[in-house]
Amino acid sequence: MRERLVLWAYSAGWRLVRSLPERSAYLVFSVLAEFTWMRQGAGVRQLEKNLERVLPGASPMKIKTVSRKGMHSYMRYWCDAFRLPDWSSERILATCRAEGDGPVREALAAGRGVVMALSHSGNWDHAGAWSTLAMARVTTVAERLRPEELYERFLDFRKELGMEVLPHDGGGEVFGTLVRRLRTGGFVPLLADRDLTASGVPVQIFGDTARMAAGPASLALVADAALFPVSIRYERLKRAGAPARWGTVIHFHPEVVAPSTGQRATKVQAMTQACADALAAGIAAHPQDWHMLQRVFVADYVSDIVPETPGGAGATGGPERPRRAG
């Protein structure tokens, strides 16, 4: 029943938001952002815990200010997502710009595949639609959602934007497909700042340990593809005689080159850490656009272990395993 209600809510929202005038739609999501932030639910509290690492020494008031802006950025992403299928190619191109894309275009022109490691920042769907129009068709991976019909809706949404989307839980078959795409000059962006598997790579980021996805570095090594960390953020666009509109900026960091020596696991570790360093710089520069309302740091998982108590789970079978959020 809960899954059916979730599907109904998303479906109704999708229809309503696409039918509203643009200013009204974004106003609704701005109000939702304010309400959600003031409510201080689990997601907002986790966002603030994450921001405390990004902004060490910041006052509680500063953290609250950034988390409030963060919720407005996050809700802007969702309003964009609902309305993106109705955007023209001209609007997608006009409201997105790239920084540092020269080396990426050179790799693609030479027939070399490109892997991009992204953080959950800004609007990656807008960036993917722009990339498909302006650089090369995007092949990416999506986390499977429940209910299944909702997942299919999101697949259709991204396909409408011109992307090829593979299921995250497809295992080796998905990895093999991505390798084949890259070996023929493919363009593969992957969200990498939160590990969704048991094979994540431990990295140091913002002075703490987190686990990042190993996929981008592994794919680059196996397919001999170029690896670029990418930061995405929002920016205000001025329009003569019209209200300002939000646009997307795609910042390509310098290529992460594989170490010349060492075992594959060692190379993956070094390349993933290099991606973490680049993504951390992008997040620190624009923390309000990092939509990380889930736990990402190892210490936050460990803090959820139930302490041993006489007669409790800890006394009979050891501590309970950390519980993942989201």
Side-chain angles (χ1 to χ4, degrees):
M1 177 61 71
R2 182 179 181 276
E3 289 184 2
R4 303 306 304 177
L5 287 173
V6 169
L7 177 62
W8 178 87
Y10 271 99
S11 300
W14 217 308
R15 289 193 298 270
L16 176 62
V17 175
R18 292 175 73 170
S19 66
L20 285 173
E22 182 169 316
R23 292 187 66 183
S24 299
Y26 284 97
L27 178 60
V28 167
F29 276 80
S30 181
V31 171
L32 284 173
E34 197 70 17
F35 172 78
T36 304
W37 179 78
M38 292 180 67
R39 187 168 169 267
Q40 288 288 298
V44 175
R45 295 197 304 272
Q46 185 60 56
L47 173 64
E48 292 177 353
K49 288 181 70 173
N50 294 334
L51 289 171
E52 288 171 0
R53 271 92 164 202
V54 178
L55 303 168
S59 67
M61 181 62 71
K62 174 67 173 178
I63 296 297
K64 292 291 185 185
T65 297
V66 177
S67 73
R68 180 170 179 250
K69 291 180 178 179
M71 289 310 300
H72 279 270
S73 175
Y74 181 55
M75 289 299 180
R76 188 182 310 123
Y77 162 79
W78 278 108
C79 192
D80 284 347
F82 285 129
R83 297 178 66 88
L84 255 173
D86 298 325
W87 289 10
S88 65
S89 297
E90 291 75 19
R91 175 169 179 174
I92 290 171
L93 292 169
T95 54
C96 191
R97 67 181 180 90
E99 298 175 338
D101 55 321
V104 180
R105 293 183 183 277
E106 291 173 7
L108 291 170
R112 190 180 183 200
V114 173
V115 183
M116 287 150 291
L118 281 61
S119 61
H120 285 76
S121 296
N123 188 335
W124 49 91
D125 287 320
H126 186 186
W130 177 90
S131 297
T132 292
L133 292 170
M135 299 186 78
R137 188 190 183 203
V138 163
T139 299
T140 190
V141 176
E143 180 181 0
R144 189 175 293 277
L145 304 173
R146 293 183 65 93
E148 184 70 17
E149 294 95 326
L150 180 60
Y151 173 72
E152 294 295 334
R153 293 277 182 95
F154 274 96
L155 281 188
D156 292 341
F157 156 61
R158 291 182 169 100
K159 289 175 182 176
E160 285 181 34
L161 300 177
M163 305 181 206
E164 178 186 18
V165 186
L166 307 175
H168 179 269
D169 56 359
E173 182 179 345
V174 170
F175 190 88
T177 300
L178 293 175
V179 168
R180 289 192 293 273
R181 297 291 186 271
L182 289 166
R183 285 177 174 168
T184 56
F187 194 66
V188 178
L190 299 171
L191 290 163
D193 57 342
R194 184 165 68 95
D195 175 42
L196 295 175
T197 71
S199 59
V201 177
V203 296
Q204 290 299 305
I205 182 169
F206 299 119
D208 210 338
T209 301
R211 299 186 73 86
M212 281 183 54
S218 297
L219 282 168
L221 284 172
V222 172
D224 190 26
L227 174 60
F228 292 89
V230 176
S231 296
I232 302 171
R233 68 181 189 271
Y234 279 109
E235 69 173 357
R236 294 286 277 180
L237 302 175
K238 295 181 179 179
R239 299 185 295 163
R245 172 182 284 169
W246 287 99
T248 294
V249 180
I250 310 171
H251 180 83
F252 294 90
H253 297 275
E255 180 182 352
V256 172
V257 179
S260 57
T261 59
Q263 299 294 319
R264 177 180 167 185
T266 303
K267 292 181 179 181
V268 168
Q269 170 70 53
M271 295 167 73
T272 305
Q273 181 63 60
C275 288
D277 294 341
L279 295 180
I283 293 166
H286 304 278
Q288 72 279 2
D289 286 328
W290 191 34
H291 304 156
M292 188 52 69
L293 280 68
Q294 296 85 19
R295 288 170 289 185
V296 66
F297 297 97
V298 171
D300 289 344
Y301 289 114
V302 173
S303 67
D304 272 3
I305 295 177
V306 178
E308 292 189 15
T309 55
T316 58
E320 181 183 347
R321 294 178 62 190
R323 298 184 297 273
R324 289 182 178 267

